[in-house]
């Protein structure tokens, strides 16, 4: 028998996973036993044990919350300040002429949604995305901005290494190497 709906009336993640065929009742029961013993989120336990894919859990949670899903190949746009996008793990998506802005979010909790509403100032629609999709969308939307901000910060902190000074050729090569290394570290 299927478990009763959760306290808010939503179907539970385990029920949604079994209804979609992504997990069996036995697998969900075993994961629930594990959850009672160790804590944690059911979906994370199932993924960690290889019982389901992360995308299966994302789809089940999106169904539970009544929101859409975002994919790494969606078209991101840098509507949020870069620091806000990184902090909230959220990226606005292209929406054509639609006045409602879709936003890929890793976690659609109330705090994230309220912060997005305050920051965007326009109607938006959250779309659940897995962590790798958020990373890819963030990289595509903010990669060049992040590198420019990092390069400017390095120039301010270490002006002698700036390629804009009359430093030696060695200084210029070191400055470029620092910027490239910092940019790579930001994306890895």
């Amino acid at each position: 028998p299927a478990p009763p709906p959760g306290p808010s009336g939503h179907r539970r993640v385990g029920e949604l996973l079994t209804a979609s065929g992504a997990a069996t009742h036995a697998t969900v029961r075993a994961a629930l036993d594990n959850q009672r013993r160790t804590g944690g989120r059911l979906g994370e336990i199932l993924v960690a044990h290889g019982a389901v894919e992360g995308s299966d859990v994302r789809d089940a949670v999106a169904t539970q919350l009544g929101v859409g899903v975002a994919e790494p190949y969606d078209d991101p746009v840098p509507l949020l300040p870069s620091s806000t996008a990184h902090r909230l793990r959220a990226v606005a998506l292209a929406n054509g002429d639609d006045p409602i802005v879709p936003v890929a979010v890793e976690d659609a909790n109330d705090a994230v949604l309220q912060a997005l509403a305050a920051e965007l100032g326009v109607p938006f629609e959250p779309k659940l995305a897995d962590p790798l999709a958020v990373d890819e969308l963030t990289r595509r939307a903010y990669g060049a901005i992040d590198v420019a901000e990092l390069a400017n910060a390095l120039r301010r902190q270490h002006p002698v290494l700036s390629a804009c000074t009359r430093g030696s050729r060695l200084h210029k090569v070191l400055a470029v190497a620092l910027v490239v290394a910092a940019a790579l570290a930001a994306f890895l």
Side-chain angles (χ1 to χ4, degrees):
S8 63
H10 293 288
R11 292 175 65 188
R12 296 179 180 198
V13 170
E15 179 185 348
L16 292 166
L17 288 168
T18 55
S20 72
T24 66
H25 288 288
T27 304
V28 170
R29 278 194 299 275
L32 287 168
D33 289 341
N34 185 326
Q35 183 184 40
R36 280 190 277 281
R37 287 190 314 276
T38 63
R41 293 178 169 180
L42 178 66
E44 291 173 356
I45 293 167
L46 288 163
V47 170
H49 287 92
V52 298
E53 298 292 324
S55 59
D56 295 325
V57 174
R58 179 210 54 206
D59 293 348
V61 172
T63 298
Q64 185 184 49
L65 297 175
V67 300
V69 297
E71 299 289 351
Y73 52 78
D74 286 339
D75 190 16
V77 291
L79 292 182
L80 295 165
S82 176
S83 59
T84 301
H86 288 290
R87 180 175 49 85
L88 297 177
R89 304 273 305 146
V91 182
L93 302 172
N95 64 330
D97 295 331
D98 192 339
I100 298 175
V101 176
V103 179
V105 294
E106 187 175 320
D107 192 346
N109 67 47
D110 287 339
V112 168
L113 298 180
Q114 289 172 2
L116 283 170
E119 192 67 49
L120 287 169
V122 297
F124 70 96
E125 173 190 7
K127 292 188 171 280
L128 207 56
D130 62 51
L132 293 176
V134 171
D135 289 343
E136 174 62 15
L137 293 165
T138 302
R139 181 193 65 74
R140 289 183 23 234
Y142 296 98
I145 294 168
D146 291 343
V147 169
E149 287 176 359
L150 183 60
N152 288 333
L154 284 172
R155 280 188 203 104
R156 285 191 303 276
Q157 291 174 359
H158 305 287
V160 73
L161 297 179
S162 174
C164 297
T165 65
R166 294 191 151 175
S168 70
R169 180 176 170 93
L170 175 61
H171 284 125
K172 292 176 183 178
V173 169
L174 287 173
V176 169
L178 279 173
V179 169
V180 169
L184 287 173
F187 293 116
L188 299 179

